[in-house]
Amino acid sequence: MKPFTIHKGKVAGIDRANIDTDQIIPKQFLKRIERTGFGKFLFYDWRYIDGEKPNPAFELNWPENGGATILVANENFGCGSSREHAPWALQDYGFQAIIAPSFADIFYNNCLKNGLLPIQLAKEDVEYLLRESKKADYELTISLEKQQVYDDHGFVRAFAIDPYRKQLLLKGWDEIDLTFVYEPYIAEYERKHCPMP
């Protein structure tokens, strides 16, 4: 994973509640064994008409949302199944952070484990961001170290994150990487307690 420290990026908004993981990445695309290549199928049923033509009514197809790296949505984002493919698809599309008033627990944890930052803000703050996201080139800056989200117009909000998860994201580590940090201690323990015959 890449370390997440400070990110400034364009914001795209999808003003919908209860966006489930089957909408984020439909089940027919779950046969891939890699973590990459899912971005083209993100929100597939909403993005395309008959699976081919881009749907002009869907927010991510609007020209002003091209290149967005921060997604703002409404309550209960990522509900439904526990598929890890949902954060993979969001990341592969280009998103580095998701902001919503609430997230489904499993989705939230899957994001953190895969280096995608889920940020929970108050409903009124999300409504402000959804309105601002309709403006061309609206950007936010996210500082994970300071745990703040801010724009260039005076909006500044703090967000909460588990300190353990924060440190892993700042370093760009997953839990396997963390195990390698303790490898010398593990080896020493094995040398003392599990001698070779």
Side-chain angles (χ1 to χ4, degrees):
M1 296 189 320
K2 293 189 303 186
F4 192 116
T5 52
I6 295 178
H7 174 72
K8 183 172 186 176
K10 189 192 289 190
V11 178
I14 301 178
D15 191 2
R16 304 180 197 201
N18 305 310
I19 295 177
D20 65 56
T21 53
D22 196 44
Q23 288 299 339
I24 296 170
I25 182 72
K27 62 186 177 304
Q28 66 266 34
F29 303 114
L30 303 184
K31 297 173 186 172
R32 301 177 62 89
I33 57 171
E34 309 88 9
R35 290 186 180 197
T36 58
F38 290 100
K40 60 187 170 187
F41 309 120
L42 179 70
F43 298 119
Y44 185 81
D45 294 332
W46 293 344
R47 276 173 68 196
Y48 300 102
I49 298 169
D50 297 327
E52 295 177 11
K53 183 180 174 188
N55 179 358
F58 183 57
E59 294 90 336
L60 294 188
N61 290 336
W62 299 348
E64 60 267 31
N65 286 333
T69 57
I70 299 170
L71 179 64
V72 179
N74 236 309
E75 297 100 344
N76 199 27
F77 189 86
C79 59
S81 75
S82 61
R83 63 186 65 160
E84 213 169 1
H85 305 74
W88 296 350
L90 288 157
Q91 280 182 303
D92 197 63
Y93 183 84
F95 290 117
Q96 296 193 32
I98 313 294
I99 300 173
S102 59
F103 294 90
D105 287 343
I106 295 173
F107 173 82
Y108 182 88
N109 286 308
N110 281 342
C111 285
L112 291 171
K113 289 178 181 181
N114 287 283
L116 179 65
L117 180 60
I119 297 173
Q120 188 170 333
L121 294 181
K123 173 77 170 167
E124 57 269 23
D125 294 331
V126 170
E127 287 173 353
Y128 165 82
L129 295 176
L130 286 167
R131 285 193 304 273
E132 293 298 298
S133 73
K134 294 176 183 172
K135 299 175 182 175
D137 298 321
Y138 177 67
E139 292 186 324
L140 281 173
T141 301
I142 299 167
S143 170
L144 178 56
E145 190 169 36
K146 294 181 179 178
Q147 294 179 217
Q148 287 185 336
V149 176
Y150 54 94
D151 65 15
D152 295 332
H153 313 291
F155 176 87
V156 182
R157 293 295 182 274
F159 63 90
I161 185 170
D162 176 79
Y164 169 74
R165 291 290 175 198
K166 176 181 176 179
Q167 288 307 309
L168 290 181
L169 286 171
L170 286 169
K171 291 179 176 5
W173 291 351
D174 62 18
E175 287 157 330
I176 295 170
D177 294 317
L178 183 62
T179 303
F180 290 135
V181 172
Y182 295 102
E183 192 171 22
Y185 302 103
I186 295 168
E188 178 65 15
Y189 179 88
E190 289 177 340
R191 187 184 64 75
K192 287 181 178 177
H193 299 283
C194 307
M196 295 293 286

